[in-house]
Amino acid sequence: IQLIYVLAAALVGIIWLIIFLINLSVHISDDVYVIVLSIAGVLFAVSGFIVAIYYVIAWPVRHEGQSIGKKFQKIRLMVVEDLETGKIRTMTKGDIGTNLLRLVFSIVDALVFGLVGLYIMNNDPNRQRFADQQAKTVVIKDEGKTRK
């Protein structure tokens, strides 16, 4: 439900911005209009970046390891406490650094159109990507219950 409010507010804001910029172009000089348009573009890009970072890093931590996409796929990101015994636990709000580390190392997984990550995952006995190995996380099928 919260996501619907955020999307609705973003849509209203975008529509308002378009109407504002169209009306503004009629009343000011071209030079000022270009400056205003540039500032609006930068603000739009920065806000998009902030939303993307929140979605990738904070959302899974706040929702027990599930982003919206993971929820649809019925998978979950878990923190590995002991790989040998298979002890894993649900992500908590204190695992934001773990998720940030996973994001940073995802750059390696993304090399050559994601083939590096696919290769590493297919050759790992636990099916972990490089980023998951470094951040000590694992993606599991969600069985509908939270593991502690």
Side-chain angles (χ1 to χ4, degrees), residues 2 48-60 62-63 99:
Q2 293 175 349
F49 179 75
I50 290 169
V51 168
I53 290 299
Y54 174 80
Y55 179 75
V56 170
I57 296 174
W59 186 282
R62 296 177 58 89
H63 293 88
N99 215 13

Side-chain angles (χ1 to χ4, degrees), residues 16 62 96 128 134 137 146:
W16 180 86
R62 296 177 58 89
I96 216 155
Q128 289 177 292
Q134 301 308 308
T137 58
T146 302

Side-chain angles (χ1 to χ4, degrees), residues 3-75:
L3 179 64
I4 294 171
Y5 292 129
V6 170
L7 292 175
L11 184 61
V12 168
I14 290 169
I15 291 170
W16 180 86
L17 180 64
I18 291 169
I19 292 169
F20 172 75
L21 291 174
I22 290 171
N23 283 334
L24 189 64
S25 68
V26 174
H27 301 291
I28 61 174
S29 69
D30 288 342
D31 293 339
V32 174
Y33 182 68
V34 168
I35 292 170
V36 170
L37 197 58
S38 298
I39 292 170
V42 168
L43 290 175
F44 189 71
V46 167
S47 63
F49 179 75
I50 290 169
V51 168
I53 290 299
Y54 174 80
Y55 179 75
V56 170
I57 296 174
W59 186 282
V61 171
R62 296 177 58 89
H63 293 88
E64 297 180 335
Q66 283 190 307
S67 63
I68 297 168
K70 284 182 179 68
K71 192 170 189 103
F72 281 123
Q73 295 178 56
K74 294 183 175 30
I75 57 177

Side-chain angles (χ1 to χ4, degrees), residues 92-113:
T92 62
K93 291 179 182 169
D95 292 317
I96 216 155
T98 300
N99 215 13
L100 180 62
L101 187 64
R102 185 175 186 263
L103 176 67
V104 169
F105 282 110
S106 290
I107 295 168
V108 174
D109 291 326
L111 293 175
V112 193
F113 306 105

